[in-house]
Amino acid sequence: MNLEWIKYSAVGLFVLFLDKIIFSHLNLWGISFDPLLIYIIWMLPKQDRIPSIYTVAFLAFVQDVFFDSWGLYLFSKSLIVLFFHRYLRDKFETKIFGGQFFYHSLVIALTHNLIFYVFASLTGDYATGWWPFLLLLISSLYTSLISFLTYLIYYK
């Protein structure tokens, strides 16, 4: 049995630890980026679908425990795997350019934040002074920008 998902889970736990300790303090006007989502975008093309679901479900469950969100991250990140795994795997088979990577991470971040916001608003867990559309857009742009900068540093 291939247990490569354990290796990706260990790296993801490190990303979550950094998120809890350092990255949660890097917010702009109350808007923060999601380093686990960036890691998921990087990890999805490298794994098959079932190990990706195991990895993302485990990491999202741990993120729910850290941020007390009662399964919202687990649900939204698992849907991201189901929606975008095949698409990202097909796109990343060849060399992808920086602009394309920014676009893909923006679409994934918008989808994730929309799913998260809809289900959080249904449960009443999401209260902010921002307009929802502005919050979704700025948070997604912030996540995509950090993802793009990470891409540039990694591939240059």
Side-chain angles (χ1 to χ4, degrees), residues 128-142:
T128 182
W130 290 85
W131 286 359
F133 178 73
L134 189 63
L135 179 71
L136 294 173
L137 184 63
I138 293 175
S139 178
S140 299
L141 281 171
Y142 191 28

Side-chain angles (χ1 to χ4, degrees), residues 24-35:
S24 62
H25 301 290
L26 296 177
N27 55 12
L28 301 172
W29 304 289
I31 297 172
S32 61
F33 71 99
D34 190 358

Side-chain angles (χ1 to χ4, degrees), residues 23-119:
F23 296 143
S24 62
H25 301 290
L26 296 177
N27 55 12
L28 301 172
W29 304 289
I31 297 172
S32 61
F33 71 99
D34 190 358
L36 184 60
L37 185 62
I38 295 171
Y39 177 68
I40 289 171
I41 292 170
W42 282 76
M43 180 205 59
L44 279 181
K46 298 175 184 169
Q47 274 189 316
D48 291 332
R49 179 172 280 202
I50 299 300
S52 293
I53 291 173
Y54 289 151
T55 305
V56 169
F58 171 70
L59 293 174
F61 177 75
V62 173
Q63 190 177 24
D64 281 329
V65 169
F66 278 170
F67 295 107
D68 194 30
S69 57
W70 289 83
L72 293 173
Y73 285 114
L74 177 63
F75 186 73
S76 60
K77 285 187 175 34
S78 297
L79 284 179
I80 291 300
V81 173
L82 293 175
F83 290 158
F84 291 105
H85 182 268
R86 180 184 293 280
Y87 178 74
L88 285 177
R89 189 124 189 193
D90 292 344
K91 286 293 181 185
F92 279 65
E93 285 180 354
T94 61
K95 176 99 169 109
I96 191 167
F97 298 111
Q100 291 173 326
F101 187 79
F102 178 78
Y103 170 74
H104 296 314
S105 61
L106 180 64
V107 168
I108 292 170
L110 275 170
T111 306
H112 172 267
N113 289 340
L114 183 66
I115 293 168
F116 186 84
Y117 180 76
V118 165
F119 285 102

